[in-house]
Amino acid sequence: MRLDKFICKSTELSRTEARQAIHAGKARVNAEVITNEAAQVHENNCVTLTGQRLIPRPSRYFMMHKPAGTLCSNVDGVYPSLFRWLDLDRRDDLHIVGRLDADTTGLVLLTDDGHWSFNITRPEQQCAKVYRVGLRDPLSDQTAARFAQGLLLQGETTPTHPACVVPSGPREALLTITEGRFHQVKRMFAAVGNRVVNLHREQIGGIRLNVPSGQWRALTRTEIDGV
Ligand code: URA
């Protein structure tokens, strides 16, 4: 991780204060003064600030059940940010792994571990996301085949990865996708002439949502390692 981030994760300093300390020559990595805030340091390097050894706080990982009418953003906008429901210290250190639209409900993952979230969201990882989709019209017979083949969405040049859709009610389906394109689920159903009327994310990789709306909990070690 970057030296400035390492210092923030080990002290109460803000990013700006950490950078000022680095530029002032107060930080050493393995006894060498480092004045570049972007220098990469490993968790087990010996990093000191004005002679004090720094030990980073462990990374944090949470699931939250996002209510409708909330924003996946650190700040309020047209709707309140879902961070309002997260009564935790240093919640601004956290970021959201795979945003949902304001009207979408369900599973949101939050962490301060950039490597972990990068691994979940990078397309090559093919991490499965499961959505329960309420539809205007019943699922047509062709939809499963079209989704399995991959669809060209409006304005895009590469087709979607193969996706699996199964009916779960007269106007409801369970959809599994392995990408996270902009408004992907709504655009996929629009591409086959249907319309999403409500959308709920149930699962990301091996992590299943199991807290009530507006609630959150820390992830278990098994969930963190198995995603
Ligand atoms: N796809 C969408 O269209 N919206 C979401 O919120 C998530 C996936």
Side-chain angles (χ1 to χ4, degrees), residues 151-160 181-183 187-188 190-191:
L151 291 166
L152 203 54
L153 299 177
Q154 206 171 23
E156 297 201 357
T157 51
T158 53
T160 53
R181 301 189 194 196
F182 184 64
H183 296 324
R187 290 165 70 218
M188 283 174 70

Side-chain angles (χ1 to χ4, degrees), residues 99-104 131 177 181-187 196 199 201:
R99 289 163 192 272
L100 294 175
D101 298 335
D103 56 352
T104 304
Y131 291 90
I177 58 174
R181 301 189 194 196
F182 184 64
H183 296 324
Q184 181 163 346
V185 177
K186 292 172 184 166
R187 290 165 70 218
V196 172
L199 185 56
R201 185 158 64 196

